[in-house]
Structures are given as structure tokens and as C-alpha cells.
């Protein structure tokens, strides 16, 4: 009644997420849930450049992960602000 069918032995999935380069040496911050089961992590820069990354650290409770990109050139990065000097009307990203 039922035909035998071949099941794939390997399933390849991909996930998309966002993150920010926070140091010119290639340190990237992103969400832990984006990378938690990843075998490979590839970052695409806005200009289309693809960079391989490794997990540097992660915290499941806060859903934060740090990645390290192997690069020989300084990368553009965002700076964290100081909450103590923030004023009403300042632009923030949370």
C-alpha cells in the first residue's frame, strides 16, 4: 500500500538574523537564538562581502551571542553609548 521512499540523511537549513560589529577586530554581537544550533556561521556585509565567523561567547538567558570574524583589515563598527550620559530625545537601539 505505501511505497518505500528514501529519506535524506542530511538536512541543510539556513537562518537569517542581524547583528552589529562592535570592535574593528571583527567582534560581532547578535542574538543567541540565531546561532545556537549552527554548524557554520557566515556574515554578509552590506557591500556583499562574506565573512566566516566563530562563536566567541553566548548567553541563553539574555539571548546574546558574540561572534569573532577572521579578518586582517579593520572593520567599521558601532560604539556603545553611556546610559549615564543619555538624554531625552537621544537616538537609541535596544
Amino acid at each position: 500500500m505505501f511505497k518505500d521512499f528514501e529519506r535524506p540523511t542530511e538536512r541543510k537549513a539556513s537562518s537569517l538574523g542581524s547583528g552589529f560589529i562592535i570592535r574593528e577586530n571583527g567582534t560581532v554581537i547578535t542574538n543567541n537564538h540565531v546561532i545556537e544550533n549552527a554548524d557554520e556561521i557566515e556574515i554578509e556585509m552590506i557591500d556583499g562581502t562574506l565573512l566566516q565567523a566563530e562563536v566567541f561567547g553566548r548567553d541563553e538567558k539574555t539571548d546574546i551571542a558574540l561572534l569573532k570574524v577572521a579578518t586582517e583589515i579593520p572593520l567599521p563598527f558601532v560604539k556603545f553609548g553611556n546610559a549615564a550620559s543619555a538624554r531625552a530625545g537621544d537616538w537609541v537601539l535596544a
Side-chain angles (χ1 to χ4, degrees):
M1 180 173 193
F2 292 102
K3 275 183 131 178
D4 288 334
F5 59 91
E6 193 174 313
R7 291 183 184 241
T9 57
E10 182 180 316
R11 187 179 86 149
K12 188 154 185 140
S14 63
S15 177
L16 296 175
S18 62
F20 298 95
I21 301 170
I22 58 171
R23 294 212 172 95
E24 67 180 13
N25 69 358
T27 302
V28 176
I29 191 166
T30 189
N31 292 105
N32 181 63
H33 72 267
V34 172
I35 57 90
E36 69 183 333
N37 294 317
D39 293 326
E40 297 176 10
I41 302 171
E42 188 173 65
I43 295 174
E44 183 174 0
M45 302 291 287
I46 199 157
D47 67 359
T49 303
L50 296 175
L51 302 171
Q52 298 300 314
E54 299 290 328
V55 176
F56 182 69
R58 56 191 213 120
D59 181 49
E60 292 178 18
K61 279 181 135 179
T62 58
D63 194 30
I64 294 291
L66 289 176
L67 308 177
K68 182 71 168 113
V69 174
T71 181
E72 297 296 320
I73 60 169
L75 296 173
F77 64 98
V78 297
K79 295 179 184 175
F80 285 105
N82 181 341
S85 64
R87 299 173 309 180
D90 284 347
W91 283 72
V92 298
L93 182 65

